[in-house]
Amino acid sequence: MTKRMTEQELVDSFDEALELGHIFITYQPKINHSTGRMIGAEALMRWEHPEYGMQYPSDFIPVLEKNDLIYRADLGVFESVCRFLRKCLDSGTDTVPISVNMSRYDIYRKDYVNAIEALRKKYDIPVKYLHVEVTETSAIGGMELVSGVLKQLHDYGYIVEMDDFGSGYSSLNVLKDLAVDIIKLDMRFLSGDIGGRGGTIISAIVQMAKWLGTPVIAEGVETMEQADYMKSIGCKYIQGYLYSQPVRESEFTEKLGQLEHEPVTPAMDLIRTMDAEKFWDPSSLETLIFNNFVGGAVIFNYQNGKTEILRVNKKYVREIGMNMLEQEILDSDPWAGMDSENREIYEKTLWKAIESKDEESCETWRNVCSKICGEDRICIRSFIRMIGRTEEQYLFYAMVQNVTVEKKCFNDLYNSERRFRFSSEQANVYAWEVDLTTKQMRPCFRCMRDLNVPPLVHNYPEPLIETGLFPPDYADMYRQRMKELEEGTIDSLDVVIPLTVGRIPFHVRYTLERDENGKPLKAYGSATLVVDSDQNGSKEENT
Ligand code: C2E
Ligand code: CA
Ligand code: CA
């Protein structure tokens, strides 16, 4: 039978309860919802009065706190956990880390950390098996006090979990200012509408925790729907009735044997050099650098083939052009404008960057659509680097250049040249190109076949002058014209030159290609036989 005890009855029977084991602990497993493995457990206090039956923490803990008894109760819990862990270690039972709750009243007692450390030593338990849960509301007693206790715990090597996250008013600030290792997000504080505001808050918290590199455990999870939702937003660790009620030691030992174990891993393992916290701070140096000192840059998530843009800088927005708004870019699906061929190129580069842990680059075309400019096709050159990863999720940083204009010029040129070569095959045209920076000349197939020009000519035109393709009396004139092309003083050439030892008159034309600074790059040459239109042997004039 169970009866709720009065405050006086609780206080009066406390010493006896502690001594006789009426106060004991139950264990509630913490599970990785993706793998079904156990990652830890929480020790929860119970009080079974021989006469009045089971008492629950919500009734007796406030009484113990009020009467300054919680400190002894908590140390009693800590000692029981140590005793249990010692049993496991001695019997060879593989165990998981057990977390104990620290009341905010324990924080006011300066020796709490030293006291638990003494117990840990007494039972000789490796510190990795003990976690301490501190509630967010502990910060009410003052940040400095809590920070001091956290530092003490960390100095001894304890993992600290922030309990009941989401219950306070200043959650996000607390998270930024307190150095906790794991966040426990209580579903009950945010329950009801997973799809609505509650869901938005939860997913924002999980996202922020990811950026801080802090794993999140969702507690109070009762349904599969809740667990799946949490997993979908990147929180796979679950504690709640869905997996198990808090159970007594014997039953928990059984569970330890039944379930496989695994350690908690951070949600996102950011590269060392990047301080994620500062990265999100709009006034930080990192943000300043991101916005001002690098070119167009984007940070995005890649998971199971899906990408999500998390952040872009101002230069990225400008680089993409099209008068896009930053929000338009953030809201867009990066794959949407890419055809499968370009997407494949891009994804291959991502995987290369994952493997090499270095910068990899690619050029891909995509359609972009903006409210102001409508749709257009652009080519982006990306330099991609992985900056963080979890098991199946990757975080990338990419610098981008819009190379559409460059590409279009090249393509136009390429296409016109190809067309030209095509027609030249049919129209008695000889074609070649001269690289003006290297003085290399590449002839068309016809030049090679009919005029015996090798596939690659170095130091053009000298070797062809030597072979007599250019007659000696025309050599200097030709050298001079090539020099003018090289120097860019002329943009085209149109002359008649007798070629080969047979001095057959050819109409030789050149078109000059320059780079974006106007420097001559290539000269495209062609030669056509001069035909006598009136059958009288009249020659076209040298221009
Ligand atoms: P808590 O630290 O947030 O512990 C989680 C509470 O949620 C536990 O209640 C647990 O039984 C309950 N719970 C777990 N899964 C579910 C679920 O799926 N649905 C629902 N509705 N509840 C779930 P419990 O054991 O009654 O403890 C209540 C609170 O008492 C704890 O909240 C903690 O603040 C405090 N407490 C418990 N044990 C200790 C202790 O040893 N020391 C101190 N200082 N406080 C303790
Ligand atoms: Ca707790
Ligand atoms: Ca809690």
Side-chain angles (χ1 to χ4, degrees), residues 167-214:
S167 63
Y169 295 100
S170 55
S171 297
L172 293 178
N173 288 330
V174 171
L175 192 55
K176 262 177 62 190
D177 297 336
L178 287 184
V180 295
D181 306 293
I182 294 172
I183 291 161
K184 295 188 74 181
L185 187 57
D186 199 315
M187 299 294 287
R188 283 164 294 176
F189 295 121
L190 304 144
S191 66
D193 52 342
I194 282 183
R197 208 177 116 73
T200 310
I201 294 170
I202 292 174
S203 100
I205 292 171
V206 171
Q207 194 64 32
M208 172 146 176
K210 257 187 211 172
W211 276 95
L212 294 172
T214 316

Side-chain angles (χ1 to χ4, degrees), residues 38-77:
M38 206 194 295
I39 53 155
E42 178 176 6
L44 293 158
M45 206 189 303
R46 293 289 177 268
W47 186 337
E48 194 166 29
H49 194 273
E51 210 177 307
Y52 303 128
M54 190 65 95
Q55 307 295 312
Y56 283 90
S58 53
D59 298 321
F60 67 81
I61 290 210
V63 175
L64 297 184
E65 285 181 337
K66 192 174 154 203
N67 291 279
D68 209 14
L69 296 170
I70 191 71
Y71 179 75
R72 284 174 58 208
D74 279 346
L75 287 185
V77 166

Side-chain angles (χ1 to χ4, degrees), residues 143-174:
M143 280 305 240
E144 274 169 37
L145 205 59
V146 197
S147 294
V149 172
L150 293 198
K151 183 171 183 317
Q152 250 186 312
L153 286 167
H154 279 149
D155 285 346
Y156 284 125
Y158 291 93
I159 299 275
V160 180
E161 301 186 18
M162 166 142 299
D163 204 356
D164 296 347
F165 190 77
S167 63
Y169 295 100
S170 55
S171 297
L172 293 178
N173 288 330
V174 171

Side-chain angles (χ1 to χ4, degrees), residues 254-375:
E254 256 172 55
K255 282 185 192 292
L256 275 178
Q258 287 159 356
L259 290 175
E260 283 187 70
H261 310 162
E262 68 174 55
V264 175
T265 52
M268 182 69 79
D269 185 17
L270 285 176
I271 51 164
R272 287 264 155 76
T273 49
M274 206 172 100
D275 186 335
E277 196 176 324
K278 287 201 191 121
F279 195 79
W280 288 113
D281 176 359
S283 62
S284 76
L285 187 63
E286 275 77 357
T287 299
L288 194 72
I289 290 170
F290 186 64
N291 278 331
N292 297 293
F293 297 110
V294 299
V298 54
I299 289 180
F300 61 95
N301 239 340
Y302 178 67
Q303 183 173 20
N304 302 327
K306 278 204 204 93
T307 56
E308 180 196 3
I309 296 177
L310 298 175
R311 205 173 168 187
V312 295
N313 68 4
K314 291 197 183 73
K315 286 190 184 148
Y316 180 91
V317 179
R318 224 176 300 146
E319 204 65 29
I320 296 292
M322 304 277 294
N323 281 317
M324 292 271 272
L325 303 172
E326 182 173 331
Q327 200 53 45
E328 268 186 277
I329 292 173
L330 290 174
D331 290 344
S332 65
D333 173 4
W335 291 142
M338 263 194 224
D339 59 25
S340 57
E341 192 185 326
N342 280 286
R343 182 174 161 167
E344 199 185 316
I345 294 170
Y346 201 84
E347 283 197 275
K348 269 201 183 131
T349 313
L350 294 184
W351 285 107
K352 247 165 80 186
I354 290 168
E355 257 162 48
S356 69
K357 296 193 175 68
D358 206 346
E359 190 173 275
E360 302 292 344
S361 67
C362 65
E363 280 169 9
T364 47
W365 288 86
R366 65 190 79 176
N367 290 327
V368 285
C369 191
S370 81
K371 280 207 184 85
I372 300 169
C373 296
E375 201 170 315

Side-chain angles (χ1 to χ4, degrees), residues 103-121:
S103 162
R104 68 187 168 102
Y105 292 88
D106 296 332
I107 290 175
Y108 306 142
R109 301 281 294 248
K110 296 237 153 42
D111 60 340
Y112 173 83
V113 179
N114 288 326
I116 62 166
E117 181 58 9
L119 286 167
R120 185 185 75 79
K121 287 229 171 80

